[in-house]
Amino acid sequence: MRLHEKLAAGFALAMLSATTLAVNAQTKPVPQLGKNSIKEVIAAMTLQEKCTLLVGAGKAPRPKQAAGLKAGMSNGYVAPPPMIGKTEVKVDGAAGNTNAIPRLGIPAMVLSDGPAGVRISPHRKGDSTHTYYATAFPVGTLLASTWDPKVVESVGRAFGNEVKEYGIDILLAPGVNIHRNPLNGRNFEYYSEDPLIAGKMAAALINGVQSNGVGTSIKHFAANNQETDRNFVNSQISQRALRELYLKNFRIAITESNPWTVMSSYNRLNGAYTAERHDLITTVLRDEWKFKGFVMTDWGGGYSDVAEENAGNDLIMPGRPDQIEDLMNAVQHDSLSMNILDENVAHILNIILKSPSFKKYAYSNKPDLKAHAEVSRKAATEGMILLKNDAQTLPIAKNVKSIAAFGNASYFTIAGGTGSGDVNKAYVISVAQGLSKASYITDPVLEATYTSFVKDTTAKLWVTARKEHHWPGPVPEMMVNEDKIADEAEHADLALITIGRNAGEGSDRDLATNYTLTPNEQQQIKKIADSFHAKGKKVVIVLNIGGVIDMNGWKDNADAILLAWQPGEEAGNAIADILSGKVDPSGKLATTFPAKYEDVPSAKNFPGEPANKPEHVVYQEGIYVGYRYYDTYKVKPMYEFGYGLSYTHFIISNLKLSSPVFIGALTATITVKNTGSVAGKEVVQVYISAPTKTIDKPAQELKAFGKTRLLQPGESQNLTFKINAADLASFHTDKSEWITDAGNYILKAGASSRDIRQTANFSVSKTIMVEKDHNVLKPEVAIDEYKGK
Ligand code: BGC
């Protein structure tokens, strides 16, 4: 070969290898999420990228530990900076973001609170032309009181549409914790004292929200039943109470709705932070319940990032840069394995793949707030409960034209509670506004007096609060002078008194001033009632509250009491719908109103010991929570679980069981007939009393429920309920088994837990072992538990 030929050949060779290299480089581009498998994406991730994905995009500095004290305990714990999340990366005011890794095609996801509406900032810097208000839906206690998963799902659908149209991927809701004690400041966000109602309602909300292609985060997993010292209090609970109450609510919701994510809670459970409990998050949640999504911490929850990742708590929120370093160090020093890291990363990537951010959804920032307000109003009317209605005071008689509206909350009606569950809504229709829109005449002078009183007092409270560096307390009830009350009794046709109560994240409710009506409030109710009754006029009390209150000392002064809860932005309209009779009240209590606070089974053990700063709280009442306690221990409540009146009357009859012997499953049918004179809906509740041969059991437990459609006078509907072996089973701690005992059972169908209309007996001939669970979550101390009677 001549020289020039050699050179040409060499050149050709060089060109060839350059091309081959280029081709190789082209065939091996960096894997991209969605185009490559998750396995390939993870294989291409650096350690830093993995850890970055596992830690939220928050920027707060590392909290300092108190000198010389034990970390992770209340005495050594320094709470991280503000926990009600806020971020400005993509959606102003959302609670947090995950980190993006653009090199691998991984976008950031936006996480925003609930549970009563999307929580974002209504205004944005540099954008004066547009507002970003969200619909305030009714709070959890009201939604549960509908006893109608279809209504709750409709709320979820509208809610999820706002999540999506505001550019959010995951809604931090619903909250499903059990109402263990009425003083819990966050009970308004939660549903019930009963795990079946709580689980079914949460499933309905999740199904509705997620039908939009966005995710949810069911919270707070688990046993986060108080706000006092929530970041370190240790809930000491028996395995049975956990399985039958505090985990069952989550289990029902998760298996019936597949939420994209679960949020672990702040508290410790039987000695360890929930976020750090492998047995809770991996053994129970993933292995037993087959949960497929990812788990995130509550904001600043847990203590050790490394323990959290080892437990299977995938995402650490809101996240701090030093937590990424912690995780990297842990992998380098073998306290966190690459396998676990990869599994946790995979859990998150699986969800990112489904997210609107990944799909580059072109959100509008313009959800149909008008249509959603209608959904909110309708749901609100379905969950309000008529507690008292002497001599058919309600619906308001046709000859009533003018109404004297008393109470701060008649003019400053409370849509929902405070904290991360608060919603930035465009408006709240007050009770007075609702009444006047429904064509009742209200007194403008009374309105002006209340308005200036509340505004002035609020301003004063803020001045002191700023000086003393705390949040302002509640505005005390305005006292109307006796002449004015007499004048109203003379001229108005009816008195309406709205009692308002609010609470929220960070603290529990005060027994003397929040749970109980103040002496001023009680006196004022009496004065108004005496004046109006003297003129032969009626007094209606509307309860605009988020949780149970004390009803002693004033209840008898009212002719009718409507429990309106905190009904969202359409409050006044929905209340007027019920008061006027446009809608028949069909809500029922999903939480008991005890006769007195001391009757509450957890009263002695709330919020825990030592009293000034609880380290631990013993769930001594065990499974005897709510009606499970009142019915078993024969304690008469003020208003029982499942209670609620209507303007019409229903007959529940014709209970039939598919068989008197339980074989695999059992079906019960029942007929509901509206025998009154207006259209309405009835809730039928199915309770079961089980034999107590092997272990103690509550006197009865709710096992199924159903709400009729709107029945016209004279119309009937059959409802069918299916009972499976699992529904009848109790958790036997000694064997870690769910067992349905052999023996005789009583099925009771009623309009409340104490208004049983039909019963039927059936028997289980042989003991059924329904499920064997892992023997986990054991208390570290012996609990002297209630054992039934
Ligand atoms: C609350 C959570 C909430 C989170 C983000 C926490 O303080 O406990 O319920 O989702 O903040 O705002």
Side-chain angles (χ1 to χ4, degrees):
M1 204 188 285
R2 305 236 172 100
L3 184 63
H4 74 273
E5 283 172 337
K6 275 188 184 170
L7 284 175
F11 178 71
L13 206 67
M15 284 302 285
L16 189 70
S17 40
T19 325
T20 319
L21 277 177
V23 168
N24 279 345
Q26 265 165 26
T27 50
K28 274 211 171 160
V30 181
Q32 295 294 300
L33 186 67
K35 297 202 179 88
N36 296 83
S37 69
I38 286 188
K39 222 172 152 192
E40 287 166 321
V41 173
I42 294 177
M45 288 174 98
T46 63
L47 175 62
Q48 183 165 22
E49 283 170 337
K50 291 177 186 175
C51 298
T52 303
L53 193 72
L54 297 174
V55 175
K59 305 235 170 334
R62 182 193 283 267
K64 288 194 185 71
Q65 189 186 312
L69 296 167
K70 197 177 162 205
M73 303 290 284
S74 67
N75 56 9
Y77 187 89
V78 178
M83 281 306 127
I84 296 176
K86 212 170 189 313
T87 170
E88 294 184 2
V89 177
K90 183 172 163 195
V91 180
D92 202 349
N97 297 283
T98 60
N99 279 306
I101 306 175
R103 185 179 82 86
L104 301 162
I106 302 172
M109 287 194 295
V110 181
L111 281 43
S112 186
D113 278 302
V118 180
R119 182 176 163 81
I120 54 173
S121 299
H123 305 288
R124 292 187 186 169
K125 268 188 221 134
D127 179 357
S128 55
T129 52
H130 195 197
T131 53
Y132 302 80
Y133 286 111
T135 304
F137 295 101
V139 299
T141 22
L142 185 147
L143 291 181
S145 308
T146 66
W147 291 65
D148 192 344
K150 285 199 289 309
V151 170
V152 180
E153 195 173 333
S154 73
V155 167
R157 276 196 300 275
F159 197 161
N161 173 268
E162 290 186 26
V163 171
K164 191 168 185 182
E165 292 307 328
Y166 276 135
I168 294 153
D169 298 282
I170 295 177
L171 172 72
L172 304 172
V176 76
N177 298 89
I178 294 289
H179 290 172
R180 170 179 181 248
N181 184 291
L183 298 185
N184 180 2
R186 288 186 90 170
N187 274 354
F188 76 95
E189 296 186 52
Y190 307 144
Y191 296 113
S192 176
E193 67 191 26
D194 179 83
L196 180 70
I197 282 277
K200 292 276 179 191
M201 294 301 158
L205 193 95
I206 293 167
N207 282 324
V209 171
Q210 292 194 170
S211 69
N212 292 277
V214 294
T216 54
S217 193
I218 186 170
K219 65 191 186 184
H220 308 89
F221 192 57
N224 179 184
N225 303 103
Q226 65 186 63
E227 289 300 288
T228 307
D229 282 356
R230 63 177 181 171
N231 285 91
F232 37 75
V233 73
N234 182 21
S235 303
Q236 297 178 320
I237 316 179
S238 73
Q239 287 165 291
R240 181 173 179 201
L242 272 172
R243 293 284 186 175
E244 292 190 14
L245 300 180
Y246 302 102
L247 297 180
K248 193 159 188 185
N249 48 353
F250 283 95
R251 180 180 185 168
I252 293 170
I254 288 167
T255 46
E256 294 186 12
S257 67
N258 290 317
W260 288 13
T261 79
V262 169
M263 187 190 290
S264 51
S265 55
Y266 280 135
N267 54 290
R268 286 179 289 151
L269 168 59
N270 289 338
Y273 281 106
T274 57
E276 300 176 9
R277 286 205 81 118
H278 185 271
D279 51 2
L280 180 70
I281 287 173
T282 296
T283 312
V284 172
L285 180 64
R286 294 192 208 276
D287 299 346
E288 292 182 2
W289 302 351
K290 312 287 175 235
F291 171 68
K292 293 281 178 279
F294 74 78
V295 179
M296 69 179 85
T297 62
D298 196 346
W299 269 226
Y303 187 79
S304 153
D305 319 328
V306 177
E308 285 160 13
E309 292 300 331
N310 274 320
N313 187 114
D314 313 291
L315 179 65
I316 296 167
M317 288 303 290
R320 302 188 312 263
D322 62 270
Q323 291 172 316
I324 301 176
E325 280 163 43
D326 280 353
L327 297 184
M328 289 172 66
N329 279 334
V331 175
Q332 278 150 1
H333 294 96
D334 291 337
S335 50
L336 178 60
S337 77
M338 194 59 95
N339 278 351
I340 289 180
L341 207 67
D342 287 355
E343 260 179 50
N344 296 359
V345 166
H347 293 148
I348 299 179
L349 289 180
N350 269 313
I351 296 299
I352 295 182
L353 269 177
K354 305 203 267 188
S355 68
S357 285
F358 178 75
K359 293 180 180 165
K360 300 197 169 51
Y361 177 69
Y363 53 98
S364 64
N365 272 329
K366 287 192 183 113
D368 189 347
L369 297 180
K370 253 194 162 161
H372 297 170
E374 273 311 303
V375 175
S376 180
R377 176 174 179 169
K378 183 165 183 305
T381 61
E382 297 266 347
M384 290 185 186
I385 302 168
L386 185 60
L387 293 178
K388 178 175 178 183
N389 196 17
D390 286 355
Q392 296 187 332
T393 300
L394 293 176
I396 296 173
K398 292 277 172 277
N399 61 350
V400 168
K401 302 278 180 253
S402 63
I403 297 179
F406 296 98
N408 298 353
S410 281
Y411 304 91
F412 295 84
T413 307
I414 303 160
T418 61
S420 62
D422 193 6
V423 184
N424 294 311
K425 57 249 160 214
Y427 64 88
V428 180
I429 304 286
S430 70
V431 173
Q433 285 168 333
L435 291 174
S436 61
K437 281 175 172 224
S439 302
Y440 295 106
I441 301 160
T442 53
D443 177 2
V445 176
L446 208 50
E447 169 155 14
T449 320
Y450 270 107
T451 308
S452 52
F453 170 80
V454 173
K455 285 192 172 156
D456 293 351
T457 316
T458 308
K460 280 182 203 143
L461 285 169
W462 267 106
V463 172
T464 331
R466 277 199 197 96
K467 255 192 228 149
E468 294 169 5
H469 304 290
H470 56 70
W471 292 103
V475 176
E477 187 59 43
M478 182 181 95
M479 298 306 283
V480 182
N481 69 46
E482 291 190 16
D483 291 348
K484 184 65 184 156
I485 293 176
D487 181 50
E488 293 292 340
E490 184 68 41
H491 297 104
D493 300 326
L494 179 105
L496 185 141
I497 309 168
T498 310
I499 297 296
R501 282 293 182 275
N502 214 350
E505 196 175 341
S507 54
D508 291 316
R509 296 166 57 206
D510 181 54
L511 183 59
T513 56
N514 192 311
Y515 182 79
T516 313
L517 263 57
T518 61
N520 272 356
E521 283 174 315
Q522 299 196 36
Q523 268 168 35
Q524 175 136 294
I525 291 174
K526 185 162 184 336
K527 276 187 197 152
I528 295 168
D530 287 349
S531 304
F532 276 74
H533 287 156
K535 300 274 171 199
K537 295 173 183 176
K538 302 270 175 68
V539 176
V540 174
I541 295 189
V542 171
L543 301 179
N544 179 205
I545 57 184
V548 170
I549 58 168
D550 183 74
M551 312 255 319
N552 293 296
W554 56 270
K555 175 178 151 253
D556 294 344
N557 296 134
D559 299 290
I561 303 175
L562 177 67
L563 172 53
W565 294 119
Q566 294 171 339
E569 66 189 22
E570 286 286 317
N573 285 333
I575 289 168
D577 287 343
I578 299 282
L579 295 177
S580 66
K582 187 172 157 196
V583 179
D584 178 55
S586 62
K588 303 265 186 171
L589 287 176
T591 200
T592 306
F593 272 61
K596 51 184 191 307
Y597 177 75
E598 296 68 41
D599 288 347
V600 174
S602 58
K604 287 192 288 191
N605 294 293
F606 185 94
E609 297 288 328
N612 59 343
K613 197 163 176 45
E615 285 278 348
H616 61 268
V617 49
V618 183
Y619 285 37
Q620 197 189 2
E621 69 285 355
I623 57 165
Y624 297 97
V625 172
Y627 71 89
R628 284 172 169 76
Y629 170 79
Y630 302 113
D631 294 347
T632 311
Y633 285 79
K634 301 201 168 44
V635 177
K636 195 172 180 303
M638 180 66 78
Y639 292 115
E640 77 267 16
F641 181 80
Y643 173 86
L645 302 173
S646 155
Y647 297 152
T648 187
H649 185 73
F650 297 96
I651 288 188
I652 299 174
S653 66
N654 211 16
L655 171 63
K656 284 201 190 104
L657 301 188
S658 51
S659 158
V661 183
F662 185 89
I663 311 161
L666 188 96
T667 305
T669 51
I670 194 121
T671 307
V672 184
K673 183 170 186 190
N674 181 353
T675 55
S677 53
V678 296
K681 298 178 180 178
E682 175 65 305
V683 174
V684 177
Q685 305 157 34
V686 175
Y687 297 89
I688 288 186
S689 301
T692 53
K693 274 187 229 142
T694 53
I695 52 172
D696 60 297
K697 310 250 169 134
Q700 57 175 6
E701 288 182 282
L702 183 76
K703 295 299 179 187
F705 59 90
K707 193 168 188 174
T708 65
R709 61 173 183 271
L710 186 72
L711 295 178
Q712 296 302 324
E715 204 184 343
S716 302
Q717 186 182 346
N718 290 336
L719 295 177
T720 303
F721 307 98
K722 194 165 175 216
I723 307 288
N724 296 312
D727 299 326
L728 301 175
S730 301
F731 187 76
H732 288 237
T733 312
D734 54 341
K735 304 190 183 96
S736 294
E737 286 174 358
W738 287 90
I739 293 173
T740 295
D741 283 328
N744 294 324
Y745 288 73
I746 311 170
L747 185 144
K748 307 168 179 178
S752 87
S753 57
R754 290 181 175 226
D755 182 8
I756 300 300
R757 309 275 180 87
Q758 297 265 290
T759 61
N761 297 323
F762 67 91
S763 63
V764 173
S765 36
K766 262 200 211 138
T767 302
I768 309 168
M769 202 283 275
V770 175
E771 180 183 297
K772 183 156 186 82
D773 288 344
H774 296 84
N775 181 10
V776 292
L777 299 165
K778 279 188 229 161
E780 353 92 277
V781 289
I783 301 172
D784 177 23
E785 250 190 344
Y786 289 14
K787 284 280 170 268
K789 273 201 168 172

